[in-house]
Amino acid sequence: MILPPFEHHRPRTVAEALAIARQCDGGFDYVAGGSDLLQNYKNRLNPRPHLIALGAIEEMRGCSDERIGGLTLLADLEADASLIPAYPGVRNAAAQVASPLVRQQATVGGNLLVETRCFYFNQSEFWRQSIGYCMKADGDVCLVVPQKEKCYATYSGDLAPVLMTLDASFHLAGFAGVRAVRAREFFAGDGIAKNLKRPEEIVTHVTIPRLSRGMLADYAKLRVRDSFDYPMVGVAASLRLDGERVAELHVVVNAVDTRPLPFEEYTDTLTGRQFTAALIDEVAHEVMVQSRPVKNLVLSTSYRKKMIGVLLSRLLRGFAGDRQLAAAGV
Amino acid sequence: MADDVRDDAPRRDYQVIGRRIPLIDSWRKVTGQGPYTDDLKLPGMLVGKILRSPHPHARILAIDTSAARRLPGVHAVVTGAEAPAKFGVLPVSQDETAMAVDKVRYIGDCVAGVAADDEETALAALRLIRVDYQPLHPILSIDDALQPTTDPIHRHSKKANIHKQVDQEFGDVDEAFRASAFVERERFEFIGVTHAMTEPHAVIAHYTADGRLTIWSAQQVPHYLHRALADVMQMEMHRIRVIRPMVGGAFGGKSDPFPHEMIAALLSRGCGRPVKILFDREEVFLTNHGRHPTRTEMALGVDADGKLTGLDLDAKIDGGAWGSFGVVTTYYNGVLSMGPYRIPRFRYHGTRVYTNKAPCGAMRGHGAVNSRFAMETLVDRLAEKARLDPLQFRLDNLLPAHTTTVNGFRITSNGTRECLEKVRERSRWDEQHGKLPYGEGLGVACGFYISGSAHRIHRNRFPHSTVHVKIDMDGGITVHNLAAEIGQGSDTMLAQCVAEPLGVKLDRVHVYARNTDTAPFDLGSYSSRVTFMAGNAALRAGEVIAAKLVQAAARLTGRPAEGFVLRDEQAIYAPDPTVVVSYMDALHEAMAENGALVAKGIYQQPPPMGGNFKGAAAGLAPSYSFQAYVARVEVDAETGFVRVAKVWAAHDCGRALNPLAVEGQIEGCIHMGLGQALVEEFPYVRGGYILNANLLDYRTLTARQMPEVEVILVESNDPEGPFGAKECGEGPLLPILPAVANAVYDAIGIRMTSLPMTPDKILSALERRAAGRPRPVLQPA
């Protein structure tokens, strides 16, 4: 499959990138590693006449315990054990994305902004033309839930959920200047709108609050194979304990909706509760009940829903480690 | 040595046979040098592209290619009407045309072809072709296809969309069941799977000014392509030359003559320039020729003494739009159940239907895989009913060596007993089966497969394989034969079978197995025939030349020829080993006043065998391979995930000509079989659309999911195989699926009757079993 024709730009700075974006007047995409975008381009899924490659922008590189640059390769994040204390759970999440080869090419920014997925969307031009285009590309109906209002394509990036549980912020640079958007608020809208980023904005780096550094955090991903695949569901959680009681608990469920789903309202009610096996069961059950996967990925929706509970339960038990909770029958 | 294993082949100290030899083309593969078909560039070569049907079933009312022809950079456009001659790999089932003529029969069916300067122009030209379709009702399931119709997909189908029916009966099965202590019956559903080979299909066609057509194609059966091209292009065969470059995997997905090859040839003839067509991955899936979706209903009986009494089998297979090898598949779904167990009565009803989906064909294990799964599951169930250990039960029901099955298969060498005994011991079966903690289990299964189809698919008396060997004064040995090297190691095998009788180092032998002009024909790489047939032919050619070298040595030394042995690149006089003639000296003496040495070896055909009833030929083979596997699995009962921890894989290959290659085939078969068992599926949605025509969503097993495999090579020394060898490319796939299913039963007490055993299906099965019993939502860890 060949790519459609496009003009390729390679700016050296964020300012230069924005200047090119302004000239392209909406007809452009940014590309970093390209492991998500180029496949969609080959399938002729909303290709644009201009591609602005960000790979030469030095100021977006670099990963320290203060910030994660948007161009940080997932493989580098995975390899650097020194980053674990600053970003609990993030390295684990990065290590579960795709495969080692893809992680050599894929970037943090790219993974946050990965295109939403649906098996009526992620198909070739020939297939989509034959069956009829959908509203996310060239058409005006949803082929999963037949209606014309909302697109149900599923969010499938593996980094965002745990970053949301850590209350990370995404730093954006655009025509109006720079701003920070909390990860928990960033993802909004349906499978087409996806997030609050304006088209020309670039995710330059990610930070997490100092307070989050002491938390326990992790991400668990369900896929049929143990490599390469996008998530069928994912769960992320972060926990801070005060003795045996919950000081803060955050849960995000991935790959069941057009955005990673936070459960802030629910987990806020758990502050002060004892972190026991019974609580874990209760949380896993409630989160599962509130999740409603749509039938646009391969495994059955009832199974994916059930696995949210199982994955979350195991993840939270993992936090218990070898503490007294083991004695409490966890 | 167990009773069933013959050992009358003289034990010799072979020099290349039995050695672990890296395949002789390995360096060109791992360095990427190939060349593969897509690597080839010819002067003036154009890019060919195919316009494919967006409808599963439709009449073609009109095709307008005028705008495409006018596009600058387009040099040829072809449509179905220009080449209406039918073709197909089986002479009894030729229902394909180069492109659709009156109607399209599946989404992806070829409608037109263009040749242009570059890919972008070719794609633009396709977009300019206007086709008026009249959509017809699509037939998308076995049940739909069985309904009577007045407008079948293929006009030659009589009552419904049925392509082939097979009915065979040997003895009164119902009576046997009535007299049985237990009869187990089950219905199994198998979704289609496909080869997912690494190299997409690729072809270059060049119709040259001298009126000859040369085709380079990634092919398993260049000889059948050669024949089909002559029919479709209406040319004499000798004007067509087929060349097979390096092939990056095939597994039955490249074992037919294909429309894209015809299209490339027609385009090239249309403009006189070379035309290359390279499939993108979606086109590979659309072309399919994979394993048929199958509905298997099987009943198996056992008597009070633990002996199998009878087998009743009904298989319905969904062939998709074309015939391909499907007639053979229809037979193999039934007849290949007649080993390795002794089954005194057998009834088989097989049906292949046409549907408006991607055509199915031969895929590794051809027709035997799904029935084997059913049989090995029912054998386990019977053993359980009869309160017998399932491995012992199998041992007590084996066919012996040198016997005939009730449907007329001539069994010669048979190593099943040794296979079962070895896996029993290595896996510590007796200590562990039925005794592991919940969630862990061991399962056993056997297999049985042909080592080459005994009968030709074309009626003639040509040898199944012919090998020419030539040696010139430089001492290099060239071996010429059309056996298709597709990664299974046939080139290396040919080299070994020639090097051994000549007593020379393997790297002196150069195999030319690519070109129909210079390689005498071999029928091709399918039905696991190449080692047995081409290997025998090569060995015989080698022996002819060996005789010439030995006579030359005799002349040079004055010693009698029969005393000489060829080894270590020498002719050594055995009664006095100080009398030695070097290979080169013997060669040059043999060449004096004679010229280059040439020899021919043939494998004419297997001895007469089989019955006289309709379809008796199907499944006849000059020898059969046998397997027994034990698999150890771990099932996570909360998520339904099955992890295969280890496989003990015993395979009777007669003699391992190259143990490294045999192990590779066994491991590859296990990988492919586990794929079908655990993760692979080829589903259709919404009226004939393949859901996952790409390598992300069509999931093949990752390296991390592969179990540890302990290969156990069993050598039963086949009396007719070259050096005693039999096949090892397909049989080893059969037992892994049922061994895993039987292990899952040992682990969690669930029997799966449909594949793949994805976690959601396992979990549903566990829940169905638990239904009615109160159970907390989540178990404590």
Side-chain angles (χ1 to χ4, degrees):
Chain A
M1 263 185 188
I2 55 169
L3 289 165
F6 56 82
E7 204 171 318
H8 179 254
H9 307 269
R10 198 166 167 79
R12 304 281 176 118
T13 64
V14 170
E16 202 184 323
L18 291 171
I20 297 168
R22 198 185 281 282
Q23 282 178 326
C24 292
D25 193 25
F28 73 93
D29 270 319
Y30 291 119
V31 64
S35 57
D36 185 52
L37 180 128
L38 291 177
Q39 180 55 46
N40 288 345
Y41 265 55
K42 287 188 178 184
N43 278 338
R44 302 295 187 277
L45 292 165
N46 304 317
R48 300 281 150 80
H50 296 270
L51 272 192
I52 305 175
L54 302 174
I57 300 179
E58 281 306 311
E59 63 199 278
M60 283 174 63
R61 292 199 174 286
C63 194
S64 68
D65 61 3
E66 296 292 328
R67 55 183 264 162
I68 304 175
L71 285 180
T72 303
L73 292 179
L74 297 182
D76 290 343
L77 199 57
E78 182 188 1
D80 194 348
S82 73
L83 293 171
I84 297 177
Y87 307 106
V90 176
R91 183 167 166 260
N92 232 15
Q96 293 178 74
V97 176
S99 73
L101 287 179
V102 174
R103 296 197 290 274
Q104 294 288 346
Q105 187 183 329
T107 63
V108 167
N111 192 263
L112 296 176
L113 299 173
V114 73
E115 187 57 80
T116 51
R117 302 187 65 78
C118 171
F119 56 49
Y120 288 100
F121 172 74
N122 294 98
Q123 298 282 1
S124 70
E125 166 74 31
F126 167 71
W127 197 98
R128 292 180 298 109
Q129 187 184 40
S130 306
I131 204 173
Y133 296 113
C134 81
M135 65 198 299
K136 193 164 154 69
D138 307 311
D140 63 359
V141 287
C142 172
L143 295 175
V144 178
V145 181
Q147 40 79 39
K148 295 184 182 215
E149 285 78 48
K150 180 183 153 140
C151 168
Y152 285 86
T154 304
Y155 183 80
S156 305
D158 293 310
L159 279 189
V162 73
L163 288 171
M164 287 164 68
T165 65
L166 297 170
D167 199 17
S169 286
F170 302 154
H171 297 263
L172 309 174
F175 296 150
V178 300
R179 59 177 180 137
V181 179
R182 288 174 84 192
R184 281 177 197 154
E185 289 156 15
F186 181 74
F187 298 99
D190 71 350
I192 294 174
K194 296 178 295 189
N195 55 53
L196 300 182
K197 187 181 82 70
R198 291 184 208 111
E200 89 287 357
E201 284 181 308
I202 296 169
V203 176
T204 54
H205 60 286
V206 174
T207 56
I208 72 168
R210 290 204 158 265
L211 277 175
S212 296
R213 291 180 190 191
M215 301 183 81
L216 295 162
D218 204 358
Y219 174 67
K221 173 176 182 175
L222 179 83
R223 43 187 171 177
V224 175
R225 299 186 292 182
D226 58 3
S227 183
F228 202 47
D229 296 340
Y230 286 94
M232 292 288 121
V233 289
V235 296
S238 68
L239 172 70
R240 188 197 316 287
L241 289 172
D242 180 7
E244 280 168 30
R245 296 185 178 275
V246 173
E248 296 177 62
L249 173 66
H250 304 276
V251 173
V252 173
V253 173
N254 197 23
V256 294
D257 205 315
T258 60
R259 57 194 180 100
L261 277 187
F263 282 78
E264 297 299 299
E265 259 188 58
Y266 169 61
T267 54
D268 279 350
T269 68
L270 303 172
T271 307
R273 297 274 303 273
Q274 267 210 307
F275 190 63
T276 59
L279 180 68
I280 290 174
D281 280 350
E282 184 188 315
V283 172
H285 180 76
E286 183 58 30
V287 167
M288 178 187 74
V289 162
Q290 289 189 30
S291 303
R292 284 181 189 80
V294 179
K295 178 64 183 153
N296 62 354
L297 300 178
V298 186
L299 292 176
S300 76
T301 49
S302 62
Y303 176 78
R304 284 162 62 208
K305 190 175 161 78
K306 222 166 283 161
M307 288 305 108
I308 292 167
V310 173
L311 287 186
L312 185 54
S313 169
R314 291 182 177 185
L315 196 153
L316 293 174
R317 279 174 167 78
F319 290 163
D322 57 359
R323 300 166 55 118
Q324 302 162 312
L325 290 163
V330 173
Chain B
M1 182 86 53
D3 295 327
D4 290 341
V5 177
R6 281 180 61 180
D7 188 25
D8 58 6
R11 288 271 173 225
R12 269 181 274 162
D13 180 17
Y14 291 124
Q15 298 215 288
V16 297
I17 297 298
R19 298 299 162 104
R20 301 174 68 82
I21 299 175
L23 300 189
I24 59 180
D25 56 2
S26 300
W27 283 113
R28 285 191 291 119
K29 278 188 190 155
V30 302
T31 57
Q33 284 180 21
Y36 298 90
T37 305
D38 186 47
D39 291 327
L40 302 176
K41 295 178 183 14
L42 296 174
M45 191 169 77
L46 300 172
V47 173
K49 284 284 176 196
I50 298 173
L51 182 69
R52 295 180 179 276
S53 166
H55 299 285
H57 198 196
R59 223 173 285 292
I60 297 177
L61 300 175
I63 306 183
D64 180 359
T65 59
S66 51
R69 287 178 201 276
R70 284 196 301 269
L71 186 68
V74 172
H75 299 273
V77 179
V78 292
T79 59
E82 296 163 47
K86 297 235 169 111
F87 71 93
V89 68
L90 295 179
V92 298
S93 172
Q94 297 194 320
D95 54 17
E96 293 186 65
T97 49
M99 289 154 282
V101 177
D102 56 339
K103 61 174 177 167
V104 289
R105 293 177 172 84
Y106 77 104
I107 294 171
D109 207 0
C110 301
V111 175
V114 306
D117 288 339
D118 53 51
E119 197 169 348
E120 277 184 52
T121 310
L123 291 172
L126 290 185
R127 285 194 287 274
L128 291 173
I129 297 177
R130 292 237 281 284
V131 186
D132 287 337
Y133 292 106
Q134 177 194 33
L136 301 168
H137 175 67
I139 303 294
L140 299 168
S141 70
I142 290 175
D143 290 323
D144 281 351
L146 292 171
Q147 299 307 312
T149 176
T150 50
D151 190 14
I153 297 169
H154 285 281
R155 235 175 277 132
H156 59 260
S157 302
K158 308 237 174 36
K159 284 174 294 187
N161 280 294
I162 293 176
H163 174 208
K164 176 71 182 173
Q165 288 197 306
V166 172
D167 276 287
Q168 293 186 342
E169 194 157 356
F170 304 92
D172 187 337
V173 171
D174 297 318
E175 185 194 25
F177 284 167
R178 280 192 295 274
S180 296
F182 302 104
V183 176
E184 284 292 309
R185 258 173 231 288
E186 189 56 78
R187 175 167 142 159
F188 299 82
E189 295 278 351
F190 301 94
I191 194 168
V193 291
T194 192
H195 325 79
M197 76 288 278
T198 309
E199 181 207 19
H201 301 68
V203 62
I204 302 174
H206 193 188
Y207 190 91
T208 44
D210 55 357
R212 286 201 88 199
L213 172 67
T214 303
I215 296 269
W216 292 261
S217 188
Q219 258 294 347
Q220 292 176 241
V221 291
H223 176 63
Y224 294 144
L225 173 60
H226 194 183
R227 285 174 170 272
L229 280 166
D231 290 340
V232 173
M233 300 298 286
Q234 308 266 282
M235 290 171 68
E236 294 171 275
M237 261 182 95
H238 76 91
R239 294 202 183 282
I240 298 171
R241 176 174 61 147
V242 176
I243 300 175
R244 176 190 56 80
M246 181 173 276
V247 175
F251 310 107
K254 294 172 177 162
S255 62
D256 290 65
F258 287 101
H260 64 272
E261 293 162 327
M262 310 303 161
I263 292 170
L266 291 163
L267 286 169
S268 184
R269 185 161 68 181
C271 63
R273 289 171 65 170
V275 176
K276 177 194 281 185
I277 294 179
L278 170 70
F279 277 5
D280 62 34
R281 182 53 61 173
E282 186 179 40
E283 291 180 287
V284 177
F285 282 98
L286 292 173
T287 301
N288 192 28
H289 288 260
R291 206 179 299 302
H292 291 63
T294 307
R295 179 183 307 155
T296 305
E297 290 170 75
M298 185 180 280
L300 194 60
V302 70
D303 66 20
D305 296 324
K307 293 287 189 273
L308 293 169
T309 55
L311 167 66
D312 191 9
L313 171 50
D314 184 306
K316 294 183 173 49
I317 68 177
D318 180 342
W322 301 119
S324 179
F325 265 107
V327 167
V328 176
T329 323
T330 316
Y331 278 104
Y332 283 0
N333 261 273
V335 303
L336 294 181
S337 312
M338 296 314 286
Y341 310 118
R342 201 181 151 278
I343 299 180
R345 298 190 191 184
F346 173 48
R347 179 170 58 211
Y348 174 56
H349 178 65
T351 311
R352 184 183 195 266
V353 297
Y354 284 119
T355 55
N356 293 116
K357 295 186 285 188
C360 296
M363 178 171 164
R364 201 179 199 178
H366 195 192
V369 176
N370 296 343
S371 299
R372 178 58 44 193
F373 183 89
M375 164 152 305
E376 298 297 316
T377 300
L378 293 188
V379 165
D380 253 39
R381 279 168 46 169
L382 283 176
E384 190 180 36
K385 281 267 166 67
R387 297 177 190 280
L388 296 168
D389 174 83
L391 198 151
Q392 185 61 47
F393 182 90
R394 286 169 167 84
L395 280 168
D396 293 337
N397 275 281
L398 293 179
L399 287 168
H402 306 291
T403 186
T404 309
T405 63
V406 295
N407 62 335
F409 290 171
R410 181 197 74 153
I411 308 290
T412 54
S413 63
N414 179 349
T416 330
R417 184 167 302 278
E418 188 179 340
C419 288
L420 273 168
E421 284 169 351
K422 290 215 160 115
V423 295
R424 174 184 223 163
E425 178 204 320
R426 303 275 188 99
S427 69
R428 292 167 45 230
W429 174 269
D430 295 322
E431 292 163 50
Q432 299 193 84
H433 177 255
K435 299 171 181 134
L436 292 169
Y438 182 76
E440 293 175 45
L442 283 188
V444 66
C446 289
F448 166 72
Y449 202 69
I450 55 173
S451 190
S453 171
H455 286 257
R456 304 169 182 81
I457 62 178
H458 292 264
R459 288 180 139 270
N460 56 57
R461 287 163 43 219
F462 306 132
H464 285 237
S465 194
T466 306
V467 170
H468 292 170
V469 173
K470 184 206 100 176
I471 313 184
D472 213 333
M473 55 76 63
D474 66 355
I477 300 162
T478 62
V479 178
H480 305 264
N481 171 264
L482 206 59
E485 168 63 72
I486 54 172
Q488 88 285 51
S490 60
D491 279 359
T492 307
M493 179 278 300
L494 288 174
Q496 285 181 278
C497 289
V498 171
E500 187 64 54
L502 293 176
V504 298
K505 293 205 189 92
L506 196 66
D507 71 0
R508 198 179 274 288
V509 182
H510 309 290
V511 176
Y512 286 89
R514 300 189 177 290
N515 186 327
T516 55
D517 267 4
T518 53
F521 85 85
D522 172 273
L523 295 177
S525 295
Y526 67 100
S527 82
S528 285
R529 53 175 294 286
V530 170
T531 292
F532 202 95
M533 297 184 177
N536 263 322
L539 173 55
R540 285 166 200 164
E543 286 168 344
V544 171
I545 299 222
K548 296 186 195 196
L549 293 178
V550 148
Q551 273 149 27
R555 282 198 297 281
L556 287 173
T557 58
R559 303 293 207 277
E562 50 277 11
F564 281 92
V565 166
L566 296 175
R567 44 187 301 118
D568 298 315
E569 308 224 319
Q570 296 177 319
I572 304 167
Y573 185 61
D576 178 5
T578 63
V579 175
V580 164
V581 176
S582 76
Y583 164 75
M584 289 298 279
D585 287 345
L587 170 64
H588 287 177
E589 167 59 29
M591 285 181 64
E593 283 143 48
N594 199 8
L597 302 187
V598 290
K600 175 184 67 180
I602 65 171
Y603 181 83
Q604 173 61 24
Q605 62 195 23
M609 59 178 79
N612 279 326
F613 53 92
K614 181 171 200 284
L620 285 180
S623 112
Y624 297 85
S625 71
F626 298 86
Q627 304 80 37
Y629 289 4
V630 167
R632 184 190 173 107
V633 306
E634 289 154 17
V635 183
D636 181 331
E638 258 197 313
T639 61
F641 273 80
V642 173
R643 189 177 93 82
V644 183
K646 182 153 178 173
V647 178
W648 293 266
H651 172 73
D652 168 22
C653 61
R655 176 181 300 279
L657 300 180
N658 179 351
L660 186 64
V662 179
E663 285 167 19
Q665 286 298 295
I666 292 171
E667 288 163 4
C669 276
I670 288 173
H671 175 266
M672 195 166 263
L674 283 179
Q676 182 179 354
L678 299 175
V679 287
E680 289 181 38
E681 54 190 339
F682 203 58
Y684 286 81
V685 293
R686 291 250 180 151
Y689 297 89
I690 297 168
L691 188 62
N692 56 353
N694 63 76
L695 288 177
L696 170 65
D697 296 317
Y698 185 83
R699 295 184 291 263
T700 58
L701 218 68
T702 66
R704 286 168 52 155
Q705 288 173 288
M706 270 297 281
E708 186 193 332
V709 176
E710 189 175 316
V711 169
I712 299 159
L713 294 183
V714 168
E715 295 182 314
S716 60
N717 289 310
D718 190 82
E720 292 169 26
F723 304 98
K726 304 188 282 192
E727 77 91 30
C728 66
E730 294 187 80
L733 195 150
L734 306 176
I736 188 60
L737 298 88
V740 168
N742 289 339
V744 166
Y745 182 71
D746 191 41
I748 57 171
I750 296 290
R751 292 216 185 268
M752 298 304 287
T753 57
S754 86
L755 297 177
M757 295 179 242
T758 47
D760 54 341
K761 279 164 131 161
I762 298 261
L763 203 66
S764 291
L766 282 169
E767 285 170 357
R768 274 199 305 278
R769 182 176 67 182
R773 277 187 269 140
R775 173 178 180 272
V777 173
L778 296 165
Q779 306 292 348

